[in-house]
Amino acid sequence: MAIFRPFRAIRPTQEHAAAVAALPYDTMSSAEARVRAAGNPHSFLHIDMAEIDLPETTDPYADIVYDTAAANLQRFITEGTFVQDDAPQYYIYRQTWRGRTQTGLVGCACIDDYQNGIIKKHELTVQAKQEDRIRHVTACNANTGPIFLAYRDEQSIAAKLDDWCSTHAADYDFMQADVRHECWAIDSPALTAQLQASFVATPALYIADGHHRSASAVHVGLARRAAAPSYTGQEEFNFFLAVCFPHEQLEILDYNRVVKDLNGHSAEDFLAKVAEKFTVEPSATQLKPAATHEFGMYLDGQWYRLQPREGTFDPQSPVGRLDVEILQRNLLEPLLNIDDPRRNKRIAFIGGIRGLGELERRCDPEAGDMRIAFAMHAPSLDDLFAIADSGNIMPPKSTWFEPKLLSGLFIHDLD
């Protein structure tokens, strides 16, 4: 049974919200962040990626970066860009993109639920990335980036949120790129109590995006507990910032692969070896897989449709039946020697939002940096839930969620 409680958000004033809100730190490089924040002193990137306010030669993991982030957060508060609400409450965060709307509840999840498996994970974390966010949370004394959670909506939580949105004006309503972002503060004690009770009756929450942020938040909370052995469990450091969405409203996009070379094979030899595990059919057009167990492959200017042959995977295994696992075990590892896609420098991953044209560009023989591309069919939320419920881990770069949750709209103060 999940604990998901209201909190006193530090958040931008209505006039500053659109200028503050920024894409998460892990979606761009420092150089890109400098460009995005140029001319905008209110951008949250001054807090989330504070190296942009320091010389370009600054190591983004230097102590001064985290100190600058904390100073910038305090400056935003002192100058009135951010204010903190007087009483704990929930908030609604709605995003509309390409005709699809997802409406999430903003609140705080419990580190104990993360520890005991009520908050379920499906990815491994990289220690260096986790350490970065631990230092950031510690320096700012706050969770500054929300964790993207999903849940099965058996308590009609979404209907309650829709009712509130239909009868109240949004606190924030703005466009960023092609996404509409709307937010409401729920100042009704009665609805707050109903929502909190609904989550208590929800058996599990699932991390959709933000494994490093959640692991880091939990680490900081446990460290605070160790430093205060008389803690009660109700202190703010026992909780971390999250947005919960009903899984019916969410969509996973494809996460495609490009590889630098053919591992010494000629194109003809490679295609022959692929045909041992997959049916291979040339395509006269770009091939975006239309169903599970279908792959698009782009090699030397030609698209192919691949489908795994019988016996190449276990249809009863929640991990083994995933397309990313089928490709890895039957092609990337044995033929291209991509044994560890997390660390191998010869493979790169491209979010499906960038389109198949990006795969062709990367594999262009004149200007590209890669040789071969694979277009994937995205897994479903049910696939993600099945893997998390079984205690397994999805293969690397299996899921890509859009739209991204913007940072800076809600901050959770650990005190």
Side-chain angles (χ1 to χ4, degrees), residues 250-306:
L250 303 178
E251 180 182 0
I252 301 175
L253 300 187
D254 45 308
Y255 215 159
N256 301 316
R257 281 98 167 102
V258 288
V259 179
K260 195 169 188 64
D261 56 64
L262 296 185
N263 190 35
H265 298 291
S266 67
E268 294 76 16
D269 177 55
F270 177 76
L271 287 170
K273 290 184 178 298
V274 171
E276 294 175 7
K277 296 294 182 72
F278 299 83
T279 62
V280 181
E281 177 187 352
S283 173
T285 60
Q286 289 183 340
L287 202 150
K288 182 176 177 63
T292 302
H293 302 161
E294 181 179 83
F295 307 84
M297 184 175 74
Y298 184 69
L299 173 63
D300 294 346
Q302 173 67 54
W303 280 95
Y304 299 87
R305 175 184 284 104
L306 308 184

Side-chain angles (χ1 to χ4, degrees), residues 66 126-136 216 219:
Y66 303 100
V126 177
Q127 185 60 38
K129 293 183 178 180
Q130 186 174 319
E131 182 63 27
D132 166 55
R133 287 301 101 178
I134 290 171
R135 296 172 68 189
H136 193 275
S216 302
H219 180 99

Side-chain angles (χ1 to χ4, degrees), residues 16-344:
H16 288 124
V20 167
L23 286 170
Y25 73 97
D26 54 358
T27 63
M28 69 191 83
S29 66
S30 296
E32 290 170 327
R34 290 178 188 273
V35 173
R36 287 179 180 272
N40 181 6
H42 299 297
S43 172
F44 197 70
L45 293 173
H46 295 289
I47 295 167
D48 224 10
M49 302 180 72
E51 67 268 22
I52 68 175
D53 292 338
L54 299 166
E56 292 187 17
T57 55
T58 303
D59 179 351
Y61 306 113
D63 290 344
I64 192 173
V65 174
Y66 303 100
D67 293 341
T68 302
N72 285 345
L73 174 57
Q74 188 56 52
R75 176 173 59 81
F76 276 38
I77 295 171
T78 301
E79 293 176 351
T81 302
F82 285 148
V83 294
Q84 185 170 26
D85 288 319
D86 294 331
Q89 50 191 346
Y90 287 120
Y91 307 85
I92 298 173
Y93 184 5
R94 171 174 284 176
Q95 299 173 299
T96 302
W97 178 66
R98 297 185 179 180
R100 180 173 60 85
T101 295
Q102 56 190 40
T103 304
L105 187 69
V106 185
C108 284
C110 181
I111 65 174
D112 291 314
D113 284 354
Y114 183 95
Q115 292 288 90
N116 61 27
I118 290 176
I119 296 176
K120 296 179 180 290
K121 305 171 279 291
H122 69 268
E123 284 185 5
L124 298 174
T125 57
V126 177
Q127 185 60 38
K129 293 183 178 180
Q130 186 174 319
E131 182 63 27
D132 166 55
R133 287 301 101 178
I134 290 171
R135 296 172 68 189
H136 193 275
V137 171
T138 301
C140 293
N141 194 41
N143 305 133
T144 59
I147 313 305
F148 189 152
L149 299 179
Y151 64 95
R152 292 187 175 94
D153 190 19
E154 298 171 357
Q155 312 302 321
S156 299
I157 295 170
K160 296 182 177 70
L161 302 189
D162 287 342
D163 287 345
W164 183 269
C165 296
S166 67
T167 56
H168 295 78
D171 292 80
Y172 310 144
D173 186 350
F174 61 91
M175 296 291 297
Q176 188 171 117
D178 56 349
V179 182
R180 183 182 183 185
H181 301 269
E182 301 170 272
C183 300
W184 292 258
I186 300 177
D187 57 2
S188 165
L191 179 55
T192 296
Q194 291 175 28
L195 292 169
Q196 195 158 6
S198 293
F199 275 100
V200 170
T202 300
L205 302 175
Y206 299 82
I207 300 175
D209 200 6
H211 282 79
H212 289 94
R213 275 166 281 169
S214 55
S216 302
V218 171
H219 180 99
V220 172
L222 294 175
R224 296 288 178 94
R225 284 183 175 183
S230 60
Y231 74 92
T232 67
Q234 295 305 307
E235 299 88 352
E236 288 300 322
F237 60 71
N238 295 286
F239 303 88
F240 58 91
L241 178 64
V243 188
C244 288
F245 290 90
H247 90 283
E248 295 90 348
Q249 297 180 6
L250 303 178
E251 180 182 0
I252 301 175
L253 300 187
D254 45 308
Y255 215 159
N256 301 316
R257 281 98 167 102
V258 288
V259 179
K260 195 169 188 64
D261 56 64
L262 296 185
N263 190 35
H265 298 291
S266 67
E268 294 76 16
D269 177 55
F270 177 76
L271 287 170
K273 290 184 178 298
V274 171
E276 294 175 7
K277 296 294 182 72
F278 299 83
T279 62
V280 181
E281 177 187 352
S283 173
T285 60
Q286 289 183 340
L287 202 150
K288 182 176 177 63
T292 302
H293 302 161
E294 181 179 83
F295 307 84
M297 184 175 74
Y298 184 69
L299 173 63
D300 294 346
Q302 173 67 54
W303 280 95
Y304 299 87
R305 175 184 284 104
L306 308 184
Q307 292 181 297
R309 296 187 183 277
E310 186 176 354
T312 56
F313 66 95
D314 179 2
Q316 303 305 315
S317 167
V319 176
R321 65 178 180 239
L322 288 178
D323 285 352
V324 289
E325 184 71 3
I326 293 171
L327 187 72
Q328 176 64 31
R329 296 305 169 203
N330 291 281
L331 196 158
L332 294 180
E333 184 173 347
L335 297 185
L336 296 179
N337 197 30
I338 308 294
D339 55 342
D340 185 351
R342 284 188 182 86
R343 295 179 174 84
N344 196 299

